Amino acid sequence: MYIAPSILSADFGNLKAEIEAICEAGADLVHVDVMDGHFVPNLTIGPVVVNAVAKAATKPLDIHLMVQNNTFFADLFLPLKPKFLSFHIEEEKHPLRLIDHIRSHGVGPAIVLNPHTPVSAIEHIVNEVDMVLLMSVNPGFGGQKFIPSVLEKALSLREMIERKNAKCMIEVDGGVTGLNVAQLDEAGVDIVVAGSYIFSSNSYEHSIRSLKLEF
Ligand code: DX5
Ligand code: ZN
């Protein structure tokens, strides 16, 4: 299991040290939540802060857009060359065009599904992306309760990936803890995002290792 700590739950007054600490503690990716106050009822960080995050990070960025104007925001972050740049299918009329645009910048395109969006919505996209992110909470805030129906979605996405011989990874985001990660692993999930679970723990190394099922 790969671990992508969500910096939304980090101490923003101490952001550089927080990012350095999770990278040293075994994070595989640094998950960055960009919210615009329109697609979701919260507003987070823009290019000035994400640039500072990129400088501090020694692991690749995983940028999760929760915005209405995906292309405008993608263009702000593509120069940072994240490993993944993900956008929500619910908010994009021309997903294949945006996927091509992201890939043309040497960045891995990824698509996000809200908890209510069926996996069938990406039947004709799954071969074109590097990763599919399944939300296990309604996007907008850290610290929410895990929605267990994501397990069934992960299983059907895994089946779709195999049937279509696609190459993409599966990521789950929201309410992930040491108590549900084993079920996600069994359902075929490759990467988990975790915010409050890691940043509220006494030891980032310990909580990341528990998500990697190393105990
Ligand atoms: C929610 C964000 C998540 C969030 C996860 O909209 O996309 O990345 O920070 O936080 P936890 O792990 O606390 O649910
Ligand atoms: Zn996220």
Side-chain angles (χ1 to χ4, degrees):
M1 187 67 87
Y2 295 105
I3 313 301
S6 162
I7 59 162
L8 195 57
S9 295
D11 173 2
F12 270 70
N14 210 4
L15 196 53
K16 184 169 186 273
E18 291 275 71
I19 289 162
E20 287 168 354
I22 49 154
C23 290
E24 276 167 31
D28 299 293
L29 294 160
V30 176
H31 185 84
V32 179
D33 291 302
V34 175
M35 307 183 188
D36 68 348
H38 295 283
F39 179 64
V40 288
N42 196 5
L43 192 60
T44 57
I45 54 177
V48 173
V49 178
V50 181
N51 258 293
V53 172
K55 270 194 200 150
T58 52
K59 299 292 167 63
L61 298 191
D62 172 29
I63 300 181
H64 175 193
L65 299 180
M66 284 159 274
V67 301
Q68 276 188 346
N69 190 341
N70 283 308
T71 304
F72 170 79
F73 281 92
D75 283 338
L76 295 177
F77 301 113
L78 284 169
L80 296 175
K81 300 273 182 235
K83 166 96 175 154
F84 300 116
L85 182 60
S86 62
F87 63 90
H88 277 256
I89 186 73
E90 299 86 7
E91 197 55 54
E92 184 51 54
K93 289 197 186 90
H94 305 292
L96 291 171
R97 181 185 292 159
L98 182 53
I99 286 165
D100 282 349
H101 181 62
I102 293 170
R103 201 178 285 293
S104 74
H105 286 258
V107 172
I111 197 97
V112 195
L113 274 66
N114 272 333
H116 71 277
T117 304
V119 166
S120 58
I122 55 161
E123 175 91 30
H124 303 291
I125 296 179
V126 73
N127 288 82
E128 312 303 327
V129 291
D130 286 5
M131 186 265 275
V132 175
L133 168 48
L134 300 175
M135 291 307 300
S136 42
V137 295
N138 288 296
F141 304 93
Q144 301 183 81
K145 196 167 169 284
F146 181 77
I147 298 173
S149 58
V150 75
L151 294 166
E152 195 186 314
K153 283 174 76 176
L155 285 170
S156 52
L157 176 58
R158 177 58 63 204
E159 183 274 319
M160 181 192 285
I161 289 170
E162 273 161 29
R163 176 166 46 84
K164 297 186 77 95
N165 202 17
K167 302 278 177 283
C168 71
M169 300 179 92
I170 303 178
E171 181 175 64
V172 166
D173 180 6
V176 175
T177 70
L179 294 177
N180 53 29
V181 72
Q183 289 171 287
L184 291 164
D185 185 52
E186 275 168 33
V189 173
D190 303 294
I191 312 167
V192 288
V193 177
S196 48
Y197 177 72
I198 293 172
F199 285 101
S200 68
S201 71
N202 294 329
S203 160
Y204 297 167
E205 191 187 343
H206 192 277
S207 50
I208 289 172
R209 284 183 66 188
S210 73
L211 292 172
K212 289 186 186 242
L213 298 162
E214 284 178 4
F215 296 118

